[in-house]
Amino acid sequence: MAQSNLATALPPARARADKESTLLANLKMIAMKLFGFVFTVFISSVIVFFSRWLVPGDPINFLLRGRSPNPEAIAEVTAIYGLDKPPLEQYWHWITGVLQGDFGRSLQYRQDVTDVILDRLPVTLGLVVMAGLMIAVLGLAAGIAAALFRGSWIDRGIIAGMSALAAIPSFVGAIVLIAIFSIQLGMFPSFGSGEGFGDMIYHLVLPSLALALSFIAVVGRVTRSAMMEEFSREHVEVARSRGITEVAVVFRHVLRNSLGPIMTVSGLLVAGLLVSSAIVEQAFGLAGLGSLLVSSVDRLDFPVVQAIVLIVVTAFVAINTLVDLLGPVVDPRLKAGKGAR
Amino acid sequence: MSIQEAPRKAISRLSLHRTRWGLLISAIFVVVVILAAVFAPLVSPYPPAAVDLLNVNSAPSAAHLLGTDALGRDTLSRMIYGARTALYGPIFVILLSTILGVILGLWAGWAGGIIDAVITRIFDIVLAFPALLLAILAVALFGKGLTAPIIAMSIAYTPYIGRLTRQLVSGEKNRQYVSAYQVQGFAPGWIATRAVMPNVLGVVGSQTTQNFGYVLVELAALSFLGLGIQAPAADWGNMINEGQSALVAGNFLPAMIPSLAVVLIVVAVNSIGGWLSDKLGDPFA
């Protein structure tokens, strides 16, 4: 009697212990990754701030290049950066401001950097969101179609098209799209971001397509190859032999298992979009963050440059971390403590 | 946390090296561009900055084989001179990043332990800065031109070479020939540089060739943004930028020719890189 009690009692207890240890392992992994995120962003902020020290000479001269160094301007810059204080204190002064959303004052606009950036944010966000949607829809569709018709002329055609697209840099894509759709066909505007929400979307069609083109190719490729790998797995054979329709096999068994690598790549691409958007914004004359960065470099407005570089790097690292953390949620096979890789 | 390299690996390039004709055409194209760059003053029909206001936006003719731009400058001559900066920048970046990356990767992979951990962490932090962004920051600090972006891009590309070298070296370290040298009393530094390094350079070389295309595109993008080499110097990137005004006037060639050249040179170089990595057996390809 006692023996049988023991026998029935043991498995649940062991299962619970197992569960607790994987939970602990998961928490440990999350904590490690969050620490890595904070550490990398901290070092990046140190690099961005102290990069100014690489330029030889007086920091006031560097910051006021191309402007008249009158006493008020010198006093203003000294106050913004705390230039009369030791370097570490200057960093502390800057980073505590940044953490409260204060990036200092723009030298060209004579406004708070934060206000200048917030002004430009909607266009860049719209651009990245629209490009992201195009990449997800067209990239997935192309990849799925190629995998469905694998080996046929459809597959070969999609692969060839993808390879060609992947070779087109965004500035070339922008020029070609402007030439065809805005100058030859007159279908879309080639300049500015328009007035109001609907008009902005209309104005952003060509720019986001230019931004998306090469990324569509990447997502299409990854989708196809991830799905092809799944097709060769046993569980797909089993599903088929159970008489499940091919469409259901593709979407429920193949695509679902392919989401992990697709998501990893897509997440990282969003980060790439942030940088490439500068090129597209320039080509289409859009007032976004990227064109603000370029014009600030042009007009020697270093506080704005510093702010945008830090924001982009932080976003880049944050997306990386997020993709890392979400991997096991999308694909439970990647969970910590489970060796099934 | 480590910044992943997935997108770079996944951006599979149009590569023609699997067919003999594709490889041949790629090689010929690269050679033609190199020759044009080297002998630019001899082969270009006009000076690249020669303005001819009576002849703006002209279509291709016997006098101007590829037509002229909005200022009446000969597009062919500008393309030939532009080939110089197009190749010059990436060559420097590739050389610098390969030297730096091999040194750091070899050191990390060979020494292991704390040195390995520190170098790996440095690579991770550098990877948090996209190459183009680092180049823009460098221009903001040191002014426009080619020098600052070349140095910035070299730093940005070092981790890709460094990680690969480190990975290869730590694999080589456990091979028998290494312990054979050790037993014979060769100095560790000698083994690392004379025995191990030659064995990893082949693969590193093919990876480096593949980086060439990315660097070329990113430097052209910088010049397109007006932050690279400055006008009136001809560069394919700023030609595309300036060609936009001709584009609006209905003259497509000044923007389209350099666009096409950028795409073709990248495809051609990647094909040669692909052929190299097939030859050298890239284990990560």
Side-chain angles (χ1 to χ4, degrees), chain A residues 171-172 175, chain B residues 78-79 82-83 85-86 216-229 233-244 254-255 258-259 262:
Chain A
F171 50 92
V172 173
I175 293 293
Chain B
R78 292 182 69 70
M79 286 303 297
T85 45
L216 194 147
V217 166
E218 275 168 344
L219 284 176
L222 199 68
S223 152
F224 175 78
L225 293 174
L227 302 178
I229 193 148
D235 175 83
W236 295 353
N238 71 21
M239 283 177 75
I240 300 174
N241 184 12
E242 290 167 3
Q244 243 186 304
S259 300
V262 169

Side-chain angles (χ1 to χ4, degrees), chain B residues 37-78:
Chain B
V38 173
F39 298 107
L42 298 178
V43 293
S44 80
Y46 299 90
V51 173
D52 180 1
L53 290 175
L54 296 174
N55 225 339
V56 299
N57 286 331
S58 72
S61 62
H64 300 281
L65 287 177
L66 294 177
T68 57
D69 67 5
L71 291 174
R73 294 175 298 193
D74 181 54
T75 303
L76 178 62
S77 305
R78 292 182 69 70

Side-chain angles (χ1 to χ4, degrees), chain A residues 39-40 43-44 47-48 51-52 54-55 62 65 163 166-167 169 171-172 175-176 178-179 183-184 218 221-222 264 268 275 278-279 282-283 293-294 297-298 302 305 312-313 316-317 320-321 324, chain B residues 1-4 6-7 10-14 121 124-125 127-130 132-133 136-137 139-144 217 220-221 224-227 240 244 247-248 250 252 255-256 259 262-263 267:
Chain A
F39 179 78
T40 309
I43 298 290
S44 305
I47 293 172
V48 168
S51 66
R52 190 153 57 75
L54 290 172
V55 181
F62 169 69
R65 280 174 307 174
S163 310
F171 50 92
V172 173
I175 293 293
V176 173
I178 290 176
I183 293 170
Q184 288 287 59
V218 178
R221 280 257 172 168
V222 173
T264 307
L268 296 166
V275 183
I279 296 161
Q282 191 81 354
L293 175 63
V294 174
V297 173
D298 228 16
F302 197 64
V305 174
V312 172
V313 169
F316 187 56
V317 180
N320 253 285
T321 311
D324 247 18
Chain B
M1 189 216 57
S2 68
I3 305 288
Q4 296 168 50
I11 297 175
S12 39
R13 317 91 173 172
L14 184 57
R121 180 54 76 180
D124 277 354
I125 286 164
L127 285 174
F129 288 81
L132 189 59
L133 193 71
I136 292 176
L137 180 63
V139 173
L141 289 167
F142 300 105
K144 294 174 183 173
V217 166
F224 175 78
L225 293 174
L227 302 178
I240 300 174
Q244 243 186 304
L247 198 68
V248 179
F252 287 6
M256 286 302 172
S259 300
V262 169
V263 173
V267 171

